[in-house]
């Protein structure tokens, strides 16, 4: 058990010999527990240096070693769900030293990524995709006549999603050779783990038992009543010590639950399972943060760590419980959470909904104060949206707090169940725009684009914390579907007015008067636009509404300026700037225009401000792009005149 984060790289003589799973498989089985200890200590050190996901990786140390020890990776496929737990996998697959660059610009990706390593057979970041992807790989192996094996590792939280059960049902139908490992670290499925359960798990995975089971079925098939008695006896026996009846009924051979930190038993069980035919499900019980005392006591608080600052002495440092640094500026998530509680006290019809993101979205206080009006629907984004639609049908006022990147998963429900019926659902869209170190899988790059084309939607993009509060209030009062999109983290530090004011729908505000150039800003890049405008002597408009646009204000800016520039932290393709282009074209207004936003490629991970600078969305980048366009406009005028 470790209680401290090593300040210096620990001595790991065995781990240092393992540069690939092939070298891991050269170790004697009795050496694996020492390797697990070294890997756990090295992971503690590495995450202390870089920051990043933490608890989930500590919980799968033994499982990761067992999988790469038994399976011939990368020829055999191991698909990790979400990827929070994949740091040990990266360390064991040739990226031991590179792990010290994880989440940093130009370094390792925070999640498995196909272009990074042949051992990352499927890129992930969103939950509950592993079984579907692994089944596809298993079917491909069958089609090719290959003997390669396929494993999906999925957590008990990810197993709550409908997509996981859709894949399980299909896998049972195909009878493909697929092993699903259910990593249960939350005790949400079963508390029933111990010596008896682990003993039965090893028995059920053993060759003698499976041979007896298969042979017995053949013999008893000639005596149907006896076969049925044997089947029920086996089912009841498993049901007494495991929750596996559900998976058995769905068509999987269920093994477990077993201790996911008992490395010798894991190795033996997985070795047996590798040889079995058909769909298998191994249920392992693990402890999030295993081996690090503070994380075991507070697995939620230690889900991820900030980088540990260097100390002057070369010694281990005691790690206190991670806390958000004390800052005066509130995070947008806090602004939303405060508004939600205030609004709930005013209107008893308000219902808060989240798909397993209550902490990240700032809903913890609301859940505590209004538990009967709070619904965490687990990782089920589609259900969250349609649940809100049903509530709205019967005069409730649902507020769906959801990350931009996860709302993509419920796009049909957004259109079919909410917008077509013009229902009163407010979407509080968190993590809009770039999200820094979490990278492209979590970036909210597309929400303005994919929502703007939906009839009946009102879309708001606040430029600061106070606008966010007032827009949430405005959206809540509006009749019909509305969305307020805001970024991760803090804003510019605007004073938040306690009194809630209903804004006029579709009205922008001029924030700075200038000449020749008008910057039309959508969202929290407004301070950056103002900084650029001071250098350019440009007008700046806080557009506030993406749909409906303030068309009168746009027309006025076009008449008074030589160049319009739209600025947004959303993809340029189909975004807010495209909406301005469409309006000008529809009205026959011929005006030079420059659209600034996220380019048509996936940006890698890095610091948020650096990522913005890389695509010319910092102040200097805006100045440079506008200056280039002004020169181009002037050249065009000269050429036309000549």
């Amino acid at each position: 058990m470790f209680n401290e984060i090593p300040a210096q790289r620990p001595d790991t003589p065995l781990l240092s010999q393992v540069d690939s799973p092939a070298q891991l498989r050269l170790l004697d089985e009795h050496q694996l527990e020492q390797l697990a200890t070294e890997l756990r200590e090295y992971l503690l050190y590495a995450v202390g240096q870089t920051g990043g996901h933490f608890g989930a990786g500590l919980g799968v140390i033994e499982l990761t070693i067992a999988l790469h020890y038994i399976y011939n990776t990368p020829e055999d496929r191991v698909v990790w769900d979400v990827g929070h737990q994949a740091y040990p996998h990266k360390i064991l697959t040739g990226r031991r030293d590179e792990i010290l660059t994880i989440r940093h610009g130009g370094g390792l990706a925070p999640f498995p990524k196909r272009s990074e390593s042949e051992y990352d057979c499927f890129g992930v970041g969103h939950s509950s995709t592993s079984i579907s992807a692994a089944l596809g790989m298993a079917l491909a192996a069958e089609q090719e006549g290959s003997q390669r094996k396929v494993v999906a590792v999925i957590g008990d939280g990810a197993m709550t999603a409908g997509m996981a059960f859709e894949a399980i049902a299909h896998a049972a139908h195909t009878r493909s050779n697929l092993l699903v490992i259910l990593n249960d670290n939350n005790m949400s499925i079963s508390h029933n783990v111990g010596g008896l359960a682990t003993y039965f798990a090893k028995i059920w995975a053993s060759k003698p038992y499976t041979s007896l089971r298969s042979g017995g079925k053949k013999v008893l098939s000639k005596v149907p009543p006896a076969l049925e008695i044997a089947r029920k006896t086996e089912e009841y026996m498993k049901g007494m010590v495991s929750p596996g009846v559900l998976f058995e009924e769905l068509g999987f051979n269920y093994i477990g639950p077993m201790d996911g930190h008992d490395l010798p038993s894991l190795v033996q069980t997985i070795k047996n399972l590798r040889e079995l035919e058909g769909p298998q499900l191994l249920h392992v019980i693990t402890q999030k943060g295993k081996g690090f005392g503070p994380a075991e006591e507070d697995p939620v608080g230690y889900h991820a760590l900030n980088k540990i600052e260097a100390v002057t002495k070369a010694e281990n440092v005691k790690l206190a419980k991670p806390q958000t640094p004390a800052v005066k500026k509130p995070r947008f998530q806090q602004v939303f959470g405060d508004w939600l509680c205030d609004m709930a006290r005013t209107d008893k019809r308000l219902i808060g909904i989240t798909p397993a993101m209550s902490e990240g979205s700032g809903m913890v206080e609301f859940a505590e104060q209004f538990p009967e009006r709070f619904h965490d629907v687990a990782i089920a984004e589609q259900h969250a949206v349609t649940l809100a639609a049903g509530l709205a049908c019967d005069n409730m006022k649902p507020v769906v707090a959801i990350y931009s990147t996860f709302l993509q998963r419920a796009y049909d429900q957004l259109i079919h169940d909410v917008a077509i019926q013009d229902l009163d659902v407010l979407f509080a869209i968190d993590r809009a725009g770039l999200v820094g170190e979490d990278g492209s899988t979590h970036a909210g790059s597309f929400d303005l684009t994919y929502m703007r084309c939906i009839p009946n939607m009102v879309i708001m993009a606040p430029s600061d914390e106070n606008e966010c509060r007032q827009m949430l209030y405005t959206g809540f009062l509006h009749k019909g579907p509305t969305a307020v999109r805001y970024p991760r983290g803090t804003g510019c530090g605007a004073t938040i007015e306690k009194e809630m004011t209903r804004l006029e729908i579709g009205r922008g505000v001029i924030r700075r008067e200038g000449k020749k150039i008008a910057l039309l800003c959508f969202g929290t890049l407004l301070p950056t636009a103002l900084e650029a405008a001071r250098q350019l002597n440009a007008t700046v408009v806080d557009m506030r509404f993406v749909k409906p646009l303030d068309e009168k204000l746009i027309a006025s800016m076009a008449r008074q300026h030589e160049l319009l520039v739209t600025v947004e932290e959303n993809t340029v393709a189909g975004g807010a700037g495209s909406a301005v282009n469409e309006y000008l074209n529809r009205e026959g207004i011929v005006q030079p225009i420059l659209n600034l936003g996220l380019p048509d490629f996936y940006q890698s991970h890095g610091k948020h401000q650096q990522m913005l600078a890389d695509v010319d969305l910092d102040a200097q980048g805006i100045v440079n792009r506008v200056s280039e366009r002004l020169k181009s406009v002037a050249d065009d005028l000269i050429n036309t005149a000549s």
Side-chain angles (χ1 to χ4, degrees):
M1 173 72 69
F2 300 101
N3 290 298
E4 299 172 339
I5 297 289
Q8 289 188 319
R9 192 191 192 288
D11 185 26
T12 55
L14 202 56
L15 179 62
S16 296
Q17 299 175 31
V18 178
D19 292 317
S20 69
Q23 291 176 315
L24 167 63
R25 291 189 282 271
L26 294 176
L27 298 178
D28 291 333
E29 199 168 312
H30 72 270
Q31 295 178 287
L32 297 183
E33 293 197 69
Q34 179 189 339
L35 180 68
T37 299
E38 292 182 12
L39 178 55
R40 182 164 277 114
E41 187 174 12
Y42 182 71
L43 178 62
L44 284 167
Y45 163 74
V47 179
Q49 297 297 305
T50 64
H53 297 110
F54 179 67
L58 289 174
V60 295
I61 294 286
E62 290 81 8
L63 178 60
T64 306
I65 290 173
L67 285 172
H68 283 297
Y69 191 69
I70 298 302
Y71 284 91
N72 184 32
T73 54
E75 174 61 22
D76 290 337
R77 315 294 200 229
V78 177
V79 182
W80 300 92
D81 207 282
V82 185
H84 292 146
Q85 76 280 50
Y87 286 24
H89 159 78
K90 293 199 178 202
I91 292 170
L92 292 175
T93 53
R95 291 167 279 181
R96 182 183 58 244
D97 296 328
E98 288 181 276
I99 201 73
L100 298 175
T101 70
I102 200 163
R103 296 167 59 88
H104 293 186
L108 292 185
F111 304 102
K113 188 175 182 179
R114 280 172 56 84
S115 61
E116 183 178 290
S117 171
E118 61 181 337
Y119 294 95
D120 294 357
C121 61
F122 193 71
V124 293
H126 287 192
S127 171
S128 314
T129 62
S130 59
I131 304 176
S132 296
L135 177 57
M137 294 173 189
L139 291 172
E142 291 178 18
Q143 191 71 24
E144 296 171 358
S146 170
Q147 295 302 307
R148 68 173 174 266
K149 307 296 184 178
V150 184
V151 181
V153 184
I154 185 169
D156 56 317
M159 189 63 90
T160 63
M163 183 177 178
F165 281 93
E166 291 170 8
I168 284 175
H170 187 209
H173 173 73
T174 65
R175 304 304 302 165
S176 295
N177 295 330
L178 171 67
L179 171 61
V180 174
I181 297 180
L182 173 56
N183 174 31
D184 184 354
N185 62 23
N186 220 356
M187 307 302 281
S188 62
I189 294 178
S190 171
H191 289 270
N192 195 3
V193 63
L196 182 62
T198 299
Y199 172 74
F200 273 118
K202 287 190 284 187
I203 291 293
W204 293 332
S206 68
K207 288 183 179 179
Y209 174 80
T210 54
S211 297
L212 180 63
R213 186 175 188 256
S214 177
K217 283 185 177 180
K218 289 181 181 178
V219 172
L220 294 175
S221 63
K222 299 178 181 179
V223 189
L227 177 63
E228 180 63 15
I229 291 172
R231 186 191 67 79
K232 287 187 176 180
T233 300
E234 179 188 43
E235 180 179 304
Y236 293 151
M237 180 181 70
K238 286 188 174 183
M240 283 190 296
V241 294
S242 78
V245 174
L246 170 63
F247 297 109
E248 292 274 354
E249 292 296 323
L250 288 170
F252 272 68
N253 179 39
Y254 173 89
I255 308 297
M258 69 178 300
D259 183 353
H261 301 296
D262 182 348
L263 189 49
S265 294
L266 268 181
V267 169
Q268 186 58 51
T269 301
I270 292 174
K271 187 181 295 183
N272 291 338
L273 286 169
R274 190 180 188 279
E275 304 306 318
L276 298 185
E277 298 289 321
Q280 314 290 326
L281 189 139
L282 174 62
H283 182 181
V284 299
I285 305 295
T286 62
Q287 185 171 13
K288 196 171 183 178
K290 176 69 174 178
F292 183 61
E296 288 186 8
E297 295 175 7
D298 183 10
V300 174
Y302 284 87
H303 172 68
L305 285 181
N306 293 324
K307 178 180 178 180
I308 307 302
E309 294 301 324
V311 292
T312 55
K313 294 183 179 180
E315 59 185 15
N316 287 357
V317 291
K318 183 83 173 181
L319 179 69
K321 180 179 177 180
Q323 298 177 347
T324 302
V327 292
K328 294 181 180 179
K329 297 187 294 185
R331 297 164 62 246
F332 277 96
Q333 292 69 38
Q334 181 182 337
V335 173
F336 166 71
D338 291 345
W339 169 83
L340 193 66
C341 291
D342 291 344
M343 197 70 236
R345 297 185 192 98
T346 302
D347 193 328
K348 294 183 178 180
R349 297 177 302 156
L350 185 151
I351 306 292
I353 301 171
T354 181
M357 289 293 146
S358 58
E359 289 90 0
S361 294
M363 298 184 75
V364 172
E365 185 177 350
F366 174 80
E368 292 172 350
Q369 293 186 22
F370 305 95
E372 74 286 354
R373 293 156 66 183
F374 170 72
H375 297 281
D376 184 339
V377 301
I379 301 171
E381 294 88 357
Q382 297 174 345
H383 170 61
V385 174
T386 304
L387 173 68
L391 285 163
C393 284
D394 280 343
N395 201 38
M396 294 294 104
K397 295 286 287 187
V399 179
V400 180
I402 189 167
Y403 291 8
S404 171
T405 186
F406 298 147
L407 182 56
Q408 295 164 186
R409 310 185 86 179
Y411 192 55
D412 180 63
Q413 288 70 26
L414 178 62
I415 296 172
H416 184 273
D417 299 337
V418 175
I420 286 178
Q421 303 184 88
D422 202 20
L423 294 173
D424 293 354
V425 179
L426 170 61
F427 293 92
I429 301 178
D430 195 353
R431 268 63 168 184
L434 300 174
V435 290
E437 290 86 349
D438 281 344
S440 58
T441 58
H442 284 59
S445 305
F446 310 110
D447 53 80
L448 295 184
T449 298
Y450 68 67
M451 288 191 300
R452 194 175 66 78
C453 60
I454 302 175
N456 295 334
M457 289 292 300
V458 170
I459 307 167
M460 293 173 267
S463 61
D464 62 38
E465 300 90 334
N466 184 56
E467 271 199 352
C468 185
R469 178 177 172 86
Q470 308 311 328
M471 286 181 177
L472 288 164
Y473 179 67
T474 301
F476 186 80
L477 297 182
H478 178 72
K479 297 295 183 182
T482 57
V484 179
R485 58 107 66 174
Y486 47 88
R488 177 183 187 177
T490 60
C492 61
T495 301
I496 300 174
E497 299 170 5
K498 186 69 175 176
E499 181 180 356
M500 290 183 275
T501 304
R502 187 173 190 173
L503 305 179
E504 183 180 357
I505 298 289
R507 286 292 173 263
V509 178
I510 298 174
R511 300 295 186 188
R512 185 186 192 279
E513 296 278 5
K515 297 180 179 180
K516 291 188 178 182
I517 307 156
L519 303 180
L520 311 182
C521 190
F522 297 86
T524 52
L525 288 177
L526 181 67
T528 303
L530 286 167
E531 184 180 342
R534 283 189 284 272
Q535 298 182 51
L536 296 165
N537 190 23
T539 297
V540 177
V541 180
D542 181 0
M543 291 299 296
R544 304 205 288 184
F545 291 85
V546 178
K547 187 174 185 178
L549 286 172
D550 190 338
E551 296 177 347
K552 290 182 179 179
L553 185 54
I554 294 171
S556 173
M557 292 296 103
R559 287 193 302 269
Q560 298 173 29
H561 298 83
E562 298 176 8
L563 175 66
L564 297 183
V565 181
T566 62
V567 182
E568 61 189 302
E569 196 171 339
N570 182 85
T571 181
V572 170
S578 292
V580 176
N581 298 349
E582 291 160 12
Y583 165 70
L584 295 174
N585 182 63
R586 186 173 66 248
E587 297 299 313
I589 300 174
V590 179
Q591 177 71 20
I593 187 165
L594 172 64
N595 300 135
L596 298 180
L598 302 179
D600 191 27
F601 60 81
Y602 293 105
Q603 273 186 274
S604 189
H605 51 283
K607 294 294 183 183
H608 182 238
Q609 288 303 316
Q610 183 58 52
M611 293 177 73
L612 290 175
D614 290 343
V615 293
D616 294 330
L617 287 178
D618 61 342
Q620 192 56 52
I622 292 174
V623 170
N624 293 342
R625 291 286 300 279
V626 171
S627 299
E628 290 172 6
R629 188 55 187 271
L630 278 175
K631 183 177 183 302
S632 175
V633 170
D635 290 343
D636 289 343
L637 290 174
I638 292 172
N639 292 334
T640 301
S642 61

